Amino acid sequence: MQVTRKTFDEVMVPNYAPSDIIPVRGLGSRIWDQQGREYLDFACGIAVTGLGHCHPKLVAALTDQAGKLWHLSNVMTNEPALKLASKLVELTFADRVFFCNSGAEANEAAFKLARKHAAIKYGAHKNQIISFFNAFHGRTLFTVSVGGQAKYTQGFEPLPGGITHLPFNDLAALEAAVGEQTCAVVLEPIQGEGGILPATPEFLALARKLCDRVGALLIFDEVQTGNGRSGTLYAYQQMGVTPDVLTTAKGLGGGFPIGAMLATQEAAASLAFGTHGSTYGGNALACAVALAALEEVSSPAILQNVAARSAQLRESLGKLASEYRITTGSRGIGLLIGVPLADAWKGRAKDIVNAAMRHGLWTLVAGPDVLRLAPPLNISEADVAEGLRRLELALADLAKAA
Ligand SMILES: *Cc1c(COP(=O)(O)O)cnc(C)c1O
C-alpha cells in the first residue's frame, strides 16, 4: 500500500498539520524521506531522540528485551522497571519513582499527588495549584488547565478549578499568591513551548522558600529540559534549587514512549496503594530502552558534548544574527536553544523552519517568534557545522526575498 501526505488528510483526525515530508529511515543525526532526500535533525522529534536515530545501544536494549518479555501490567512488577527506577533514584534527589507513558501523564500524576498530599496532611482547603503564563504541561484536561496558554483550553470548558496562573519570573506576584491554601507550585526551569525562557535563580529560590513556608510541593516539569538536554542530567542540578517532585518524559526513552514522576519519599507516601495507576506504566520494553538511554545521557562524555556543541551553536548563532538581522542571538541551556526573531521578523519563526527544511535541516519553533534548536546530545562538531551552514542558506534566502 502506497501512503503519501494526502493519506493523512483522508484518514487522520485533523488536529495536526504535518510537513509534506515523510521520513522513512533515520541514523544518528540524519533522517531520509520517501524520495531518499537527507535531512539533518536539529529537532529530535521535539527534544525526544536525544541520542539520535537508531543508536546501537538502544536498538540492542530494545531487541534484547523484545525477545524476553514485553508487558505484565502493575499486577506484577518487572526487572527493567526496577532497574530503571533504581538508576533514577541513584542519579537524582528522588527516593521514589512512578512510571507512565508521556509527559502529560507524568504531570497528571504530579498534580494529583500534590492534591492528595495536601488533603491528607492539611485538609481539603489546601488545593490551590500555582502555575505560570506560557507554561506547557501537556494536553490532558488537567494539564492544559494548569498550563498557561488559553488557546489550548478554549472550547474544552468546564475546566478543573483551583488553579492560579501568574506571570513567570515575577517575584512579587509569587510572593503575594502563595499561601496556606497552596498545595503546589509547578514550573518549567526553562519554559520550552513558551519560547525557551529560563527561570531566574531568584525566582527558583523564592519558589522553594515559599513552598517550604506553607508546606506546598515544588514541582519541576523537566519533560523537555531533562535527560541530559540541559548539560546536566536534569536542569535543576545546575540551578541550585531542588524540587520535591520532578516530571520527565521526552528524552527519557530516547524515542520509546515513557514518562516518569520522581518524588521524595515524604511526597510519594501520599500516593498510597490504589490511589493512582497506569496499565502500561513501567512497561518492560520501555524501561529497558530507557535504562540504556539513561546510562548514555548521564555519562560525562555526552554531557561534555552537550556543553561543547552548545557553545559552538551559540557562537555561530550570534554571528548569524549580526550578519542577517533576522534573528537576535540565542538563549536557553545546553542543547535546548531558542533563537528569538528580530522585531521586523516577529511572527515568522515558521517561515525559517520551512526555509531550513528546503535546505535539508529540520528545526522547530517555540511560539511564533522563536526558532528552537534541539539537536541530538551526541551530535558531532562537523554535523553541527553542517546544520549551521544549512541554516545560513535559509536565512540568506529569507533576507533576499524580504
Ligand atoms: C512536551 C511537554 C509536555 C507534554 O508531554 P507529552 O509527552 O506530549 O504528553 C509537558 N511538559 C513539558 C515541559 C513539555 O515540553
Side-chain angles (χ1 to χ4, degrees), residues 102-105 107 136-139 188 193 221 223-224 249-250:
S102 67
E105 283 172 86
N107 285 324
F136 184 78
H137 298 302
R139 297 290 203 121
E188 297 158 86
E193 302 301 308
D221 178 344
V223 171
Q224 187 155 173
K250 290 205 165 96

Side-chain angles (χ1 to χ4, degrees), residues 46-48 101-107 135-140 143 187-194 221-225 247-250 258-259 336 372:
I46 317 192
V48 168
N101 316 289
S102 67
E105 283 172 86
N107 285 324
F136 184 78
H137 298 302
R139 297 290 203 121
T140 64
T143 55
L187 60 89
E188 297 158 86
I190 294 118
Q191 286 193 337
E193 302 301 308
D221 178 344
E222 292 222 33
V223 171
Q224 187 155 173
T225 54
T247 56
T248 193
K250 290 205 165 96
I258 181 170
L336 182 59
R372 173 172 31 164

Side-chain angles (χ1 to χ4, degrees), residues 5 18-23 31-35 37 39 357:
R5 175 60 180 78
S19 154
D20 287 339
I21 295 154
I22 300 186
I31 52 178
W32 289 266
D33 71 10
Q34 288 175 322
Q35 283 69 42
R37 268 203 71 188
Y39 304 84
M357 204 61 132

